Amino acid sequence: MPRSLRARKLENAVGLAVIVALAIASVLPLIHILYMVIVRGVEAIARIGLYRFLTEPPHPFDPQNPGGIGPALVGSLELSGLAIAVATLIALPASVLIAEFRGSRISRGTLLLALTLVEFPTILVGLTVYAVLVDHVVGGYNMLAGAVALTLVILPYMAVQASEALRGVPEGVREAAYSLGATRLKTVYALIAPAARRGILVGILIGLARAAGETAPLLFTVGGAYEGYHLCLYKVGGAVPLMIYQFIQMPYKPAQDLAWGAALVLMTIIVGVMLLARLLVKEVKIL
Amino acid sequence: MNGGPLSRLLRRVRGVRSRDDERFLLLHLPASLTLLLVILAMLGVFIAYSIPVISREGFHVFTDTTWRAVEGDPQAEWYGLLPAIYGSVYTSLIAVLIAAPLSVSLAVALEELTPRRLRGSLSLLTDLMAATPTIIYGLWGLAFLAPHMYPILSWLSSHASWIPLFSKHPSSGYTIATAGVLLAVMSTPFAAAVIREAYSMIPLSIREAAYSLGATRLEVIRILLGMVKPSIVAGLALAFARAVGETVAVSLVIGNSMTITPSVTDSGVTVSSLIASQFGNAGFYHYMTSALFAGGLVIFAIGLAVNVAAVWYMKKWEEKVMGVAP
């Protein structure tokens, strides 16, 4: 027997309400996280002033003068800058291969490899780089290992993202270029890639956000040194997320405050990058 | 190059028709090989570094519950990873169970129920949720979630201790339940993104057909969700793999104690949190580094299996729905 219309309408109302409630519940944590990071972060940064917080080294045991996150911030810039540069240089040709030879076994294999690596636990990347670069090549924690680990973490994502951007370029562009006698290399890098530049740039931006925020790949690679500016690639160094992880576990108030201030700086960078990506394209694909 | 064995090999790739194409492919092969090399290097490292502990303990390293680190006496050392493996799977299962209704609702709400004007800012919020570094979630878990979970878990364990889930009275807010909830929060936007993508690919005609038969909105949603079921499975599988590999956030809230317990109100340990917390000291012992790499091998295997299965499953489904032959 068919159910009455009234029962179905009631079910509809209740069902939709539950869906909306659950959806709101799933985004509430983020709003609270943002609120907490802003409140505690501002409190920590205001104590010393923004400029000094961003430039001075930390004094995690000194309540009078807690210092700032200068060395960690510079370390993060160095690591993410290197990672982005190298990852782009490898991800772009990989994505061209995926997009240009669509349907071939090599394209599908490369895409499957990249998709698998995207979701790979980043701690494993960190351990692998530790085994090769820290344990065998350099013989101690070093910034180079951190940069390599971050590169490997963001590389597959950037390759997938760029290949999707390239796939969206109309075939007509290629046909026009070929008919004018352009080589394939020229067609792809002078016409197709520029046409897909927004999507590729978004991939680079999201890669940058990830490189700036990842902690696990740095745990066993860069070591964590914050007293002075360590820029040498073969020596220990620090980064903002790693500093947050290490300082929040210290039983000292100044150290924990520094962690919250660093978290606010990190979140500001992430939000800025995300907004920039959003300006470039309507749909940002995180996965 | 022309006519040589290399050329013949390159010509077998679909889309290669001329010498120009051959050169083009050859130039791009190294990038693709880099990805392959990375996976092989990872596998090689984990196997090589696991050998010392496996050759000493055999497969007991994966099935034993004893964790004995003795400095200066390698013969007395013994490492069993079972509590950590159990903790990884347990916390990730909790996370997926919580994330399932949340991510499906989030995806449906964004695709179906959000007014067009709000959709942009709401999806920016979910994008931001996915882009927020895990250490920030960890910070929040440590400073807010754990202290606020404690009274709830205490109440549950004193009023419902007959349920094995709540059999232990929590000694702090740093428990398996806290880790599970935190992981659920973190993985919801990812599972939702997978489900959303599939949901938005369903042809409009199906929706119109359902409405024209007099279906209510909820009934239409049910029909569409039935169609994207594979993507829900795949999204949750990816969420599970992500939860298994998650390190810093979990290690800040789980309490890091090597126990196997059904009680979510007890503290526990996961493979990755064990690696994160023990790796710094592992150099003092003879076999511990190797044991931790063996743990990595376990996450490696779980991650690879779940990922490959999910990606493959999704591709199959995409091909079916979009009508694109491989």
Side-chain angles (χ1 to χ4, degrees), chain A residues 3 20 52 68-69 83 107 116 143 156 164-165 196 222 242 244:
Chain A
R3 288 178 304 148
V20 171
R52 287 181 63 197
I69 61 165
S107 156
T116 308
M143 289 294 266
E164 269 172 20
V222 300
L242 186 63
I244 299 174

Side-chain angles (χ1 to χ4, degrees), chain A residues 89-151:
Chain A
L89 282 180
I90 305 173
L92 198 58
S95 68
V96 166
L97 193 129
I98 294 171
E100 283 292 302
F101 298 96
R102 222 170 305 160
S104 71
R105 219 171 278 167
I106 191 152
S107 156
R108 296 173 71 187
T110 308
L111 182 62
L112 187 65
L113 270 179
L115 283 173
T116 308
L117 277 169
V118 166
E119 286 294 319
F120 237 68
T122 54
I123 187 173
L124 299 183
V125 177
L127 282 173
T128 305
V129 175
Y130 163 86
V132 177
L133 279 177
V134 177
D135 206 16
H136 280 102
V137 177
V138 179
Y141 291 128
N142 62 83
M143 289 294 266
L144 180 68
V148 170
L150 289 179
T151 306

Side-chain angles (χ1 to χ4, degrees), chain B:
Chain B
M1 200 195 269
N2 207 7
L6 180 65
S7 169
R8 247 176 290 145
L9 202 66
L10 292 173
R11 285 284 170 113
R12 283 172 60 184
V13 174
R14 195 191 287 191
V16 176
R17 286 175 215 93
S18 61
R19 276 185 70 179
D20 184 43
D21 287 350
E22 282 172 24
R23 238 175 291 146
F24 186 82
L25 177 61
L26 211 54
L27 201 64
H28 288 80
L29 271 180
S32 164
L33 291 178
T34 309
L35 291 173
L36 185 64
L37 200 73
V38 170
I39 277 215
L40 292 180
M42 284 172 73
L43 195 60
V45 160
F46 278 96
I47 290 175
Y49 272 69
S50 304
I51 284 175
V53 76
I54 292 177
S55 62
R56 178 169 135 78
E57 298 181 14
F59 276 90
H60 290 293
V61 70
F62 302 117
T63 55
D64 215 304
T65 56
T66 320
W67 186 267
R68 197 167 54 230
V70 188
E71 212 172 328
D73 184 7
Q75 287 316 307
E77 287 179 40
W78 191 266
Y79 303 104
L81 288 163
L82 194 62
I85 298 170
Y86 170 84
S88 286
V89 174
Y90 197 25
T91 51
S92 306
L93 276 179
I94 296 172
V96 165
L97 284 179
I98 301 174
L102 289 178
S103 55
V104 171
S105 302
L106 184 61
V108 168
L110 278 168
E111 284 295 318
E112 197 87 33
L113 305 172
T114 312
R116 203 159 284 278
R117 269 184 308 133
L118 274 177
R119 204 178 275 186
S121 40
L122 257 180
S123 71
L124 179 67
L125 204 63
T126 55
D127 286 349
L128 188 60
M129 225 171 139
T132 297
T134 56
I135 182 66
I136 305 279
Y137 282 103
L139 213 53
W140 179 75
L142 183 81
F144 176 81
L145 190 61
H148 286 80
M149 289 281 284
Y150 179 63
I152 301 171
L153 296 175
S154 296
W155 188 87
L156 282 172
S157 71
S158 41
H159 291 82
S161 60
W162 49 274
I163 305 174
L165 284 178
F166 310 117
S167 56
K168 279 234 177 88
H169 193 81
S171 52
S172 73
Y174 305 103
T175 60
I176 293 172
T178 313
V181 170
L182 187 61
L183 285 171
V185 168
M186 295 167 70
S187 46
T188 295
F190 284 95
V194 176
I195 299 167
R196 251 186 96 183
E197 207 191 334
Y199 199 97
S200 68
M201 278 194 318
I202 296 177
L204 191 64
S205 53
I206 288 173
R207 186 181 310 230
E208 286 168 346
Y211 276 122
S212 75
L213 288 173
T216 63
R217 214 158 183 190
L218 187 68
E219 285 162 351
V220 173
I221 291 172
R222 270 208 200 130
I223 293 167
L224 298 189
L225 279 180
M227 294 182 68
V228 298
K229 211 178 264 167
S231 82
I232 299 177
V233 174
L236 292 176
L238 288 177
F240 179 83
R242 192 168 266 272
V244 167
E246 175 41 46
T247 308
V248 287
V250 172
S251 84
L252 288 176
V253 299
I254 198 166
N256 291 314
S257 71
M258 294 285 275
T259 45
I260 295 185
T261 162
S263 171
V264 297
T265 51
D266 206 358
S267 58
V269 68
T270 67
V271 176
S272 32
S273 76
L274 179 73
I275 297 173
S277 62
Q278 295 301 312
F279 201 82
N281 317 318
F284 298 121
Y285 312 98
H286 198 264
Y287 289 105
M288 198 195 274
T289 306
S290 178
L292 294 177
F293 269 92
L297 198 59
V298 174
I299 326 181
F300 196 108
I302 297 177
L304 197 64
V306 175
N307 272 317
V308 169
V311 168
W312 181 81
Y313 192 56
M314 272 306 282
K315 277 267 165 287
K316 264 266 179 302
W317 178 84
E318 243 170 66
E319 278 159 11
K320 211 172 80 189
V321 167
M322 307 284 281
V324 189

